[in-house]
Amino acid sequence: MKILVIGKGGREHALAHACSKSALCDRLYMAPGNPGMAKLGTCVDISDGDVEGLVSFAKEKMIDLTIVGPEATLSKGVVDAFQKEGLKIFGPTKAATQVESSKDFAKKIMAKYHIPTASYQTFDRYEDAVAYVKEKGAPIVIKEDGLKAGKGVTVAQKISEALEALEVAFSQPGNKVVIEECLVGFEFSLICLVHNDQVVPLEIAQDHKCVNDGDTGPNTGGMGSYSPVKKITKEIIQNTMDTVMVPMAKAMMSEGVPFTGFLYGGLMLTKQGVKVIEFNARFGDPEAEVILPRLQSDFVQAILDVMDNKEVSLTWSDKVSHGVVMASTNYPASSTKGSLIEGVDQSDALIYHMGTKEEDGKLMTDGGRVLMVVTLEDTLEEAFAHTYREVKKIHCKDLFYRHDIGKKDM
Ligand code: AMP
Ligand code: GLY
């Protein structure tokens, strides 16, 4: 088969890596891909936002299956455009992508179908939002509506922080803000392969959203992850399937917006059971980089089977995978580009490229999150030690990382 992976980050590198291992994959194309992905197949110079360009390429090359990485591409209606041309693509339509792109849309469905989540209210007037925050008190969570790459969320411990976040959120006209009850508990990500009411769980992972050690500092797209997560038992996962993931897929069908693709549950195990923090309409990043390396069965076959409503059987390595993101100085506020990276070839870890470019044969930083270093070992403790040994082999004056990925589960 000819397979196309759309995107250029670490998640797409992991998706492409999983496709490249499939017995079904004869040719692998990536648009636009990155220097790490270029080792797996052919990178084509089409932006992941260029829906028309992607459709033309898929038609010309007669691509058999396209897998979409980024939410922004889904939000532009890439799936609708491919389907219109009769091209097979794994991802949600523009309408179904709203499960991620509009918190308000997701929250309304969860309320209607009794899917457990934080209580919330949506505001389009600054004054009303301020009054609500003052009435509810802190801690409280302020979320800008729309796609924010994980960065439009403030978990405010004090009222003053919440009010500051509201000022920022309402500084742009037309913004809507969701204000939520603050959930307290243990966070994990459960990603499922979904086609209508077929919902197949993958192994779970835990992301680390805050930029600094000890879960401090602003939220990022994710600074590291590991899989599996000891604290989340098989029973908890089954319960999450029964109360959250399957009901959500069914609810979307009932609402006339059936979902196909990776449905990502961002979840919190609270004292009252598992509750939804958010849904995403695509694989997680940095979850893909630790989940997919543990998959032993054929990834492409699994996607084809779920789309054909066939039974999907997945087998997983018992090893623990652990990954640390190396990010540009000042991320998430801003990113440094064009700094030389050395030592990647010296490492025996899996190295996923998140934001890199090659210039004159040299590897350079090119984004906020730059590389993710992943190792697999028998225990989390061993993987933790191994990953950090490998991270130290990579040298770049403009990269930093967290030192405590996975510590809470050790
Ligand atoms: P989101 O973009 O909705 O995933 O939010 C980013 C991060 O903020 C989450 O991964 C959580 O760590 C935190 N967060 C979001 N909503 C809540 C909530 N209602 N209660 C506690 N933490 C939250
Ligand atoms: N790791 C969080 C996300 O992909 O949204």
Side-chain angles (χ1 to χ4, degrees):
M1 289 179 74
K2 291 185 198 166
I3 297 174
L4 169 65
V5 173
I6 301 176
K8 60 176 182 180
R11 165 185 46 217
E12 291 78 17
H13 191 170
L15 288 167
H17 185 215
C19 290
S20 74
K21 291 193 284 187
S22 164
L24 297 169
C25 179
D26 301 313
R27 288 295 309 258
L28 179 61
Y29 295 97
M30 294 147 289
N34 65 38
M37 293 164 82
K39 299 198 167 75
L40 302 171
T42 308
C43 291
V44 287
D45 189 16
I46 304 171
S47 152
D48 53 19
D50 177 5
V51 171
E52 265 179 43
L54 292 164
V55 169
S56 319
F57 177 79
K59 271 168 75 178
E60 180 200 319
K61 293 285 181 201
M62 294 191 286
I63 298 291
D64 300 295
L65 173 67
T66 298
I67 299 172
V68 191
E71 59 274 24
T73 310
L74 294 166
S75 263
K76 284 192 166 172
V78 73
V79 169
D80 313 61
F82 270 60
Q83 285 174 346
K84 211 165 131 201
E85 298 293 335
L87 293 160
K88 194 169 191 126
I89 184 164
F90 190 63
T93 59
K94 185 173 178 174
T97 301
Q98 287 181 91
V99 74
E100 169 167 8
S101 61
S102 165
K103 299 244 185 231
D104 203 24
F105 171 91
K107 284 289 195 185
K108 279 197 175 123
I109 295 189
M110 283 188 268
K112 183 167 169 191
Y113 293 87
H114 310 292
I115 294 166
T117 186
S119 61
Y120 82 106
Q121 224 164 297
T122 308
F123 295 90
D124 50 18
R125 270 173 40 103
Y126 172 72
E127 294 74 17
D128 297 341
V130 169
Y132 185 78
V133 162
K134 287 187 175 158
E135 180 202 324
K136 293 281 173 189
I140 197 157
V141 180
I142 312 291
K143 298 186 176 186
E144 293 175 44
D145 206 33
L147 291 178
K148 304 286 171 189
K151 290 174 253 173
V153 177
T154 305
V155 181
Q157 299 301 336
K158 295 193 210 125
I159 292 209
S160 57
E161 262 176 81
L163 295 178
E164 245 172 71
L166 286 180
E167 255 181 56
V168 174
F170 281 107
S171 60
Q172 281 164 26
N175 258 9
K176 270 200 222 172
V177 170
V178 176
I179 304 184
E180 265 182 29
E181 163 199 6
C182 186
L183 298 175
V184 179
F186 192 80
E187 211 174 320
F188 65 102
S189 309
L190 172 58
I191 292 139
C192 296
L193 302 177
V194 175
H195 180 55
N196 301 330
D197 60 356
Q198 265 253 86
V199 188
V200 181
L202 304 180
E203 288 278 286
I204 62 165
Q206 188 178 58
D207 185 11
H208 291 61
K209 293 267 170 72
C210 294
V211 71
N212 295 323
D213 289 358
D215 290 333
T216 56
N219 262 317
T220 67
M223 293 298 293
S225 56
Y226 65 97
S227 168
V229 184
K230 251 188 297 189
K231 279 194 184 155
I232 305 299
T233 60
K234 288 210 159 38
E235 291 71 35
I236 298 171
I237 296 171
Q238 188 55 52
N239 177 265
T240 310
M241 290 299 293
D242 297 342
T243 60
V244 173
M245 303 306 293
V246 173
M248 190 62 183
K250 288 191 172 158
M252 290 189 74
M253 283 186 80
S254 307
E255 292 297 305
V257 276
F259 190 96
T260 293
F262 303 104
L263 183 62
Y264 168 127
L267 304 151
M268 186 83 88
L269 176 63
T270 72
K271 285 196 177 127
Q272 296 82 39
V274 170
K275 293 192 183 184
V276 176
I277 296 171
E278 63 165 351
F279 283 109
N280 289 324
R282 37 79 195 171
F283 222 118
D285 189 359
E287 285 91 340
E289 295 94 316
V290 292
I291 293 172
L292 292 172
R294 292 188 53 226
L295 182 64
Q296 290 174 324
S297 48
D298 195 303
F299 180 57
V300 175
Q301 185 70 58
I303 288 176
L304 295 177
D305 286 347
V306 81
M307 290 179 90
D308 287 341
N309 294 312
K310 288 190 188 148
E311 192 160 326
V312 179
S313 68
L314 301 171
T315 51
W316 297 94
S317 158
D318 286 335
K319 291 206 185 269
V320 177
S321 56
H322 174 270
V324 172
V325 171
M326 302 182 79
S328 291
T329 317
N330 292 328
Y331 175 74
S334 63
S335 59
T336 336
K337 295 190 176 185
S339 280
L340 180 66
I341 307 168
E342 289 174 304
V344 167
D345 304 339
Q346 311 300 314
S347 174
D348 64 17
L350 291 167
I351 304 213
Y352 293 106
H353 291 232
M354 304 181 99
T356 67
K357 67 178 171 194
E358 217 160 54
E359 260 175 29
D360 304 326
K362 292 195 175 103
L363 194 63
M364 305 284 196
T365 63
D366 194 37
R369 294 186 296 171
V370 175
L371 292 171
M372 182 156 174
V373 180
V374 176
T375 69
L376 283 85
E377 295 292 346
D378 290 337
T379 65
L380 181 57
E381 286 77 4
E382 286 169 88
F384 180 97
H386 188 179
T387 309
Y388 281 109
R389 274 201 309 279
E390 299 306 315
V391 164
K392 291 202 178 78
K393 294 180 184 167
I394 296 171
H395 302 285
C396 174
K397 67 179 175 49
D398 281 320
L399 289 182
F400 76 97
Y401 53 89
R402 271 183 67 159
H403 305 82
D404 61 348
I405 301 300
K407 267 272 180 216
K408 270 194 289 186
D409 211 21
M410 280 163 62

